Amino acid sequence: MESGQEDELTKSGLVGKRLIQVRRAFYEFEGTVERDEGLIELSFSDGVSVRFDVGADGESLATREGPWVDPFAPPHSIENEEYIRTHGKYSAFDVSVEDPYREMIGREVSGVHSVIEQMGHKCSGIVIEFGDLRLLIEVVADGLYVSYSGA
């Protein structure tokens, strides 16, 4: 994989925005939350929210503006209650005070770079830089994974 290609987010002005909140959507079933993978949403001081998730093809990164809306938010129909009880659902969690995200809160985005999958030439991830801190958001085997590097 290679990174460094210009991304639409760079053009839209993500660089220079100050991060104020990070939410993750994790799968929740029978009181257990699977925190290994799931959507990530970044919110900035100017009111813009950007969310990253797995694209419809299961291989590329999908980027959308605006906060994530829970499709199973109450009130629930009888069918939705049964589905949630039987299968579980994704729920949003504010992870802003958790490592590594807390180190990025209040910092400005200094760079945005696409991660391009070599074989298919699809954007499979993105690196968002906050000075010396880097957030890698990447699609791997139909899951969205987030990792961190920095000082």
Side-chain angles (χ1 to χ4, degrees):
M1 295 216 262
E2 61 189 59
S3 65
Q5 305 238 338
E6 185 166 320
D7 186 86
E8 287 181 32
L9 289 176
T10 303
K11 295 175 191 171
S12 71
L14 193 56
V15 172
K17 292 186 181 298
R18 186 173 307 281
L19 185 66
I20 61 167
Q21 183 183 39
V22 179
R23 289 195 321 160
R24 297 287 311 267
F26 296 125
Y27 206 76
E28 192 172 18
F29 181 59
E30 295 182 339
T32 302
V33 178
E34 176 57 53
R35 296 177 61 98
D36 290 338
E37 66 91 20
L39 173 146
I40 185 169
E41 174 188 294
L42 307 177
S43 297
F44 299 94
S45 59
D46 64 355
V48 170
S49 292
V50 178
R51 61 189 192 278
F52 303 92
D53 202 357
V54 177
D57 63 2
E59 299 174 349
S60 59
L61 183 68
T63 304
R64 295 178 181 88
E65 198 167 316
W68 181 71
V69 177
D70 183 350
F72 287 104
H76 299 131
S77 67
I78 293 170
E79 294 83 7
N80 282 354
E81 280 290 338
E82 177 65 20
Y83 183 88
I84 293 167
R85 190 169 35 75
T86 307
H87 302 287
K89 73 179 200 78
Y90 278 94
S91 297
F93 296 87
D94 184 344
V95 295
S96 302
V97 297
E98 297 178 17
D99 287 330
Y101 309 109
R102 80 168 115 213
E103 295 178 51
M104 297 172 198
I105 298 298
R107 294 182 124 191
E108 288 185 2
V109 174
S110 57
V112 178
H113 309 282
S114 296
V115 176
I116 306 299
E117 181 268 322
Q118 288 181 340
M119 300 301 281
H121 304 288
K122 295 179 183 181
C123 177
S124 61
I126 193 164
V127 175
I128 302 175
E129 299 172 344
F130 298 88
D132 59 346
L133 306 175
R134 287 170 189 78
L135 193 63
L136 170 61
I137 302 167
E138 186 173 34
V139 176
V140 178
D142 205 25
L144 187 77
Y145 296 89
V146 178
S147 60
Y148 158 86
S149 66

